[in-house]
């Protein structure tokens, strides 16, 4: 089984288009593992899919994108589905990082970090992760530093994604610096 392709398709189903798989996310983004497997098995490529296959997909991935608990599976972050997925508020480290393309910098400096096509702004716990995130975009990578203490003192909320990814609704320019 190609776990990288499987991870991409599971992400697509759980982040962006559950209805294409006749799945319905609950308010925290969970769906039944059994339902997901039975839907994926309709595709020839995933005919042999089992829960063990999903568990292997998660443990072999270099990024923690999905979790399985109590017979359900969800994506930790990345959602663009119309229904807002609720995330747990947390206290992040004093600084978080956002890697992006230099081409977006003027917009971000004047208007702040917006979720764009996703439900939340995605932030990284460390600079190396932020650099990898930024490299996915065309153009030179810039690393932005978010002062989360200052932002939290002005009522900006941060939510737990996974051990490296934090989420927020919107980061105003006053809390963003170039590294
Ligand atoms: C930019 C991947 C113009 C923002 C990654 C980013 C991450 C603005 C792009 C996760 C803007 C959105 C998410 C503004 C933000 N004007 N551009 N005001 N505010 N932007 O891909 O954070 O591999 O939706 O800088 O590793 O790059 O899929 O978000 O460049 O963790 O698991 O708009 O997705 O994870 O791009 O990446 P994206 P992202 P996976």
């Amino acid at each position: 089984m190609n776990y990288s392709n499987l991870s991409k398709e599971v992400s697509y189903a759980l982040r962006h288009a559950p209805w294409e798989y006749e799945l319905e996310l609950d308010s925290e983004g969970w769906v039944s593992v059994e339902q997901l497997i039975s839907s994926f098995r309709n595709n020839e490529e995933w005919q042999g899919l089992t829960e063990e296959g999903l568990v292997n997909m998660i443990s072999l991935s270099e990024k923690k994108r999905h979790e399985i608990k109590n017979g359900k599976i969800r994506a930790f972050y990345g959602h663009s589905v119309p229904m807002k997925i609720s995330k747990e508020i947390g206290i992040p480290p004093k600084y978080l990082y956002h890697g992006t393309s230099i081409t977006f910098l003027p917009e971000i400096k004047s208007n702040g970090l917006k979720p764009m096509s996703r439900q939340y702004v995605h932030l990284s716990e460390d600079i190396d992760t932020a650099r990898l995130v930024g490299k996915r975009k065309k153009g030179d990578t810039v690393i932005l530093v978010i002062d989360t203490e200052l932002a939290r003192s002005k009522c900006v909320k941060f939510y737990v994604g996974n051990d490296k990814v934090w989420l927020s609704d919107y980061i105003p320019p006053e809390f963003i610096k170039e590294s």
Side-chain angles (χ1 to χ4, degrees):
M1 185 151 306
N2 182 326
Y3 289 118
S4 166
N5 282 355
L6 178 61
S7 175
K8 280 189 188 139
E9 191 158 347
V10 170
S11 290
Y12 175 71
L14 296 179
R15 290 172 174 180
H16 308 300
W19 52 87
E20 288 184 24
Y21 298 80
E22 289 175 38
L23 298 171
E24 207 173 322
L25 307 189
D26 74 9
S27 61
E28 293 178 338
W30 295 102
V31 299
S32 137
V33 168
E34 204 180 314
Q35 281 172 22
L36 181 134
I37 288 173
S38 103
S39 170
F40 268 57
R41 279 186 184 163
N42 292 325
N43 177 340
E44 214 182 317
E45 192 177 357
W46 310 125
Q47 260 175 14
L49 184 61
T50 58
E51 177 158 355
E52 197 192 352
L54 291 170
V55 169
N56 289 341
M57 169 197 86
I58 292 170
S59 62
L60 292 171
S61 169
E62 82 288 6
K63 283 188 186 179
K64 275 175 98 181
R65 295 186 173 96
H66 313 103
E67 76 174 315
I68 290 179
K69 222 185 231 176
N70 304 326
K72 293 178 180 176
I73 183 167
R74 71 171 172 180
F76 278 117
Y77 58 88
H79 299 88
S80 71
V81 287
M83 185 193 72
K84 183 96 180 203
I85 301 299
S86 65
K87 301 301 296 180
E88 183 199 332
I89 291 180
I91 301 177
K94 176 162 168 55
Y95 295 108
L96 287 175
Y97 305 91
H98 180 86
T100 189
S101 163
I102 198 157
T103 55
F104 302 143
L105 202 52
E107 271 289 313
I108 293 172
K109 273 183 167 171
S110 37
N111 299 321
L113 277 170
K114 298 180 185 175
M116 307 307 278
S117 64
R118 303 188 198 257
Q119 295 190 356
Y120 295 95
V121 172
H122 288 60
L123 303 167
S124 306
E125 273 222 10
D126 59 85
I127 296 177
D128 289 344
T129 305
R131 200 172 298 286
L132 292 174
V133 174
K135 277 196 180 142
R136 294 159 45 252
K137 309 286 172 186
K138 281 194 195 122
D140 287 351
T141 300
V142 286
I143 305 294
L144 305 175
V145 186
I146 317 304
D147 185 334
T148 70
E149 264 176 30
L150 186 62
R152 283 176 53 240
S153 75
K154 303 272 172 70
C155 296
V156 174
K157 294 190 191 100
F158 294 89
Y159 309 89
V160 181
N162 67 14
D163 55 347
K164 288 186 175 172
V165 178
W166 284 83
L167 305 170
S168 191
D169 302 299
Y170 166 65
I171 308 288
E174 55 186 302
F175 310 124
I176 304 172
K177 284 208 175 73
E178 277 176 70
S179 78

